[in-house]
Amino acid sequence: MFASRPAVHPVEAPPLTEAAGPRVRMKDVQGMPGTPGGLVLRLLQFVFAAIAVSVMASTSDFHEATAFCYLVLALGLQSLWSISLLVLDIYAILVRRSLRNDKVIRLFTVGDGITSTLTYAAACSSAGITVLISNDLNRCGINHCTRFETATAMAFISWFATSPSFLLNFWSLASH
């Protein structure tokens, strides 16, 4: 039996020529860190989270419901996260630096994912308690229902501003 054996012939890669041009990075999509769109999203996140915390803290009885305490805690964390990244975005825009480093994008993605999840959970739980107080128990005369509803609405708007940041960072992380 004279079976032939496969032969392996190494093939060299063609040399890189200047005709192919230098490697080009993907364009920064507005809404990603270090872009004006990202700056606007961070500003919206901070403003609406701060409004929600301020409105909720202005009531005297928000601490009676655990969901409202959780809302204040989650949106306090959201506002701290957003203001720190807002300052970083302002710096990156002023000095024209790209924030497309893998470690930085990973940090932003994890941070946005955690704060987005906490904000959404807090807004949903506060909405449930607000509906319970206003519709089911009919105790709006005793409680501050309009303030609770306003703070819950601001929490949802803050979450709406956080979601694009998380999704764009996650997309950028996945594309690397």
Side-chain angles (χ1 to χ4, degrees):
M1 296 266 157
F2 296 104
S4 65
R5 298 201 183 252
V8 177
H9 301 286
V11 178
E12 291 184 26
L16 292 175
T17 61
E18 292 300 318
R23 297 178 94 185
V24 178
R25 296 182 84 174
M26 185 175 71
K27 241 174 67 173
D28 283 338
V29 177
Q30 289 300 318
M32 295 181 81
T35 62
L39 179 71
V40 169
L41 283 174
R42 296 292 175 193
L43 183 64
L44 291 174
Q45 292 167 20
F46 172 71
V47 166
F48 287 114
I51 290 172
V53 169
S54 299
V55 168
M56 191 61 79
S58 70
T59 65
S60 60
D61 57 347
F62 82 91
H63 56 83
E64 293 176 7
T66 306
F68 295 148
C69 293
Y70 177 54
L71 180 78
V72 170
L73 179 70
L75 289 176
L77 178 67
Q78 173 69 45
S79 62
L80 289 174
W81 175 254
S82 298
I83 195 71
S84 62
L85 294 185
L86 178 75
V87 169
L88 189 61
D89 277 344
I90 290 171
Y91 170 76
I93 290 171
L94 289 177
V95 298
R96 296 194 171 132
R97 294 220 30 171
S98 176
L99 297 176
R100 300 281 311 264
N101 185 347
D102 287 339
K103 291 179 183 178
V104 172
I105 295 293
R106 189 175 301 129
L107 174 71
F108 287 174
T109 303
V110 170
D112 281 343
I114 290 170
T115 57
S116 176
T117 303
L118 290 175
T119 301
Y120 183 69
C124 288
S125 64
S126 295
I129 296 298
T130 303
V131 167
L132 176 72
I133 291 171
S134 64
N135 293 347
D136 298 337
L137 299 178
N138 292 325
R139 295 183 60 181
C140 276
I142 301 170
N143 294 307
H144 306 285
C145 286
T146 54
R147 289 185 183 176
F148 294 155
E149 290 168 355
T150 303
T152 302
M154 295 299 127
F156 274 112
I157 294 172
S158 178
W159 174 72
F160 283 132
T162 307
S163 297
S165 298
F166 169 69
L167 292 174
L168 287 170
N169 286 330
F170 189 70
W171 172 62
S172 176
L173 184 66
S175 67
H176 280 161

